[in-house]
Amino acid sequence: KELDHIGNDPQKLKAFAREVMKEYAENFNKGLSEQDIKYYGKIEYNRYYTHEDPEVKQGLRQRGEAKEGSHMHAQLIVSRKTADNGRLISPMTNHRGSNAGHSQKFGQFDRLDFTERCEKAFDRTFGYERELTETFQYRKVMLNGTAMQRADMIVAERNHQAKQAKEQSLAVEQNKREKKELAQQPEIKPRQEQQKKRGF
């Protein structure tokens, strides 16, 4: 849905990749910007079946065969040092700052927060109205949340759907009213035709 939203445009995907790297830099909480990150990226247009795919295991597809549909994506390779080689940065650190020296050296990268920030960056950059069920927060709760958290998320989704249905119904009713008002308006005839009937 996201690729459809940007029209499968590789330039827009590149723009999003740059937004991702801004979020990546900021998420270390070390005052870094995207200029401090050394990275290389390229756009890929296909994904391929691997030995782990069910279709390959069932003999329906061959390993290495291109998958059907639109699979455009960006591949990014990121250095573990800043662009000036002055600081180590690792997104795999689970450190949250209890050891000040270690925190200053490696940063405090929060991978869950990074995922949510990238999601919001896409929505903000391209005006994408994300459904609740498409959000990382929804998937995270439905996979790993407590029974109470999952129930709350299901209720929130139902409320969201009800609100959307109501808004759609109101829009349809408004459209019907406007059409009815237009149909009831008297027909305005051209001025020349009116003058002929008056004898001018």
Side-chain angles (χ1 to χ4, degrees):
K1 287 178 72 175
E2 290 170 339
L3 286 175
D4 286 343
H5 184 75
I6 64 171
N8 284 286
D9 185 339
Q11 295 306 316
K12 288 184 177 178
L13 187 57
K14 285 182 184 179
F16 174 57
R18 293 185 185 104
E19 290 298 316
V20 165
M21 295 316 297
K22 287 179 187 176
E23 299 297 339
Y24 179 83
E26 290 174 12
N27 204 34
F28 281 103
N29 294 309
K30 294 178 74 172
L32 300 174
S33 73
E34 68 274 17
Q35 281 82 27
D36 296 308
I37 307 298
K38 185 190 293 184
Y39 71 97
Y40 300 93
K42 70 172 183 173
I43 301 298
E44 295 269 336
Y45 294 92
N46 295 302
R47 292 188 190 275
Y48 301 92
Y49 286 101
T50 71
H51 66 281
E52 295 179 351
D53 286 305
E55 295 88 344
V56 174
K57 290 177 180 178
Q58 295 167 15
L60 301 172
R61 297 289 180 190
Q62 295 292 320
R63 182 178 175 183
E65 187 179 341
K67 292 186 175 182
E68 301 83 2
S70 180
H71 292 283
M72 185 174 68
H73 60 283
Q75 293 274 11
L76 299 172
I77 299 172
V78 188
S79 172
R80 284 196 69 196
K81 288 187 177 181
T82 51
D84 62 0
N85 281 333
R87 285 177 281 184
L88 289 169
I89 49 173
S90 172
M92 300 310 293
T93 180
N94 290 315
H95 198 266
R96 294 292 177 270
S98 58
N99 180 319
H102 187 82
S103 176
Q104 183 61 29
K105 186 177 180 182
F106 287 99
Q108 304 173 46
F109 201 90
D110 186 330
R111 292 188 294 279
L112 297 179
D113 184 52
F114 175 59
T115 302
E116 289 191 74
R117 288 171 69 153
C118 290
E119 186 177 89
K120 289 173 183 172
F122 182 90
D123 299 348
R124 181 179 64 247
T125 303
F126 301 113
Y128 184 68
E129 295 184 14
R130 189 176 299 276
E131 298 288 336
L132 179 62
T133 52
E134 293 179 77
T135 63
F136 174 69
Q137 185 66 29
Y138 181 89
R139 295 193 303 275
K140 185 174 72 172
V141 167
M142 297 311 284
L143 281 171
N144 302 314
T146 64
M148 184 64 73
Q149 288 172 327
R150 288 197 299 272
D152 288 344
M153 194 61 80
I154 290 168
V155 169
E157 171 57 14
R158 286 180 182 162
N159 290 340
H160 179 69
Q161 288 177 342
K163 182 182 176 185
Q164 280 188 319
K166 185 177 180 181
E167 287 173 355
Q168 190 173 13
S169 177
L170 288 171
V172 169
E173 288 300 318
Q174 176 70 18
N175 192 27
K176 284 181 182 177
R177 278 196 301 273
E178 288 174 358
K179 284 183 177 179
K180 188 176 179 182
E181 287 171 6
L182 282 172
Q184 289 175 348
Q185 287 180 0
E187 185 182 351
I188 300 172
K189 295 183 179 180
R191 187 175 180 82
Q192 285 182 343
E193 191 176 328
Q194 290 176 348
Q195 288 176 344
K196 283 179 185 177
K197 287 184 178 178
R198 290 177 188 158
F200 291 95

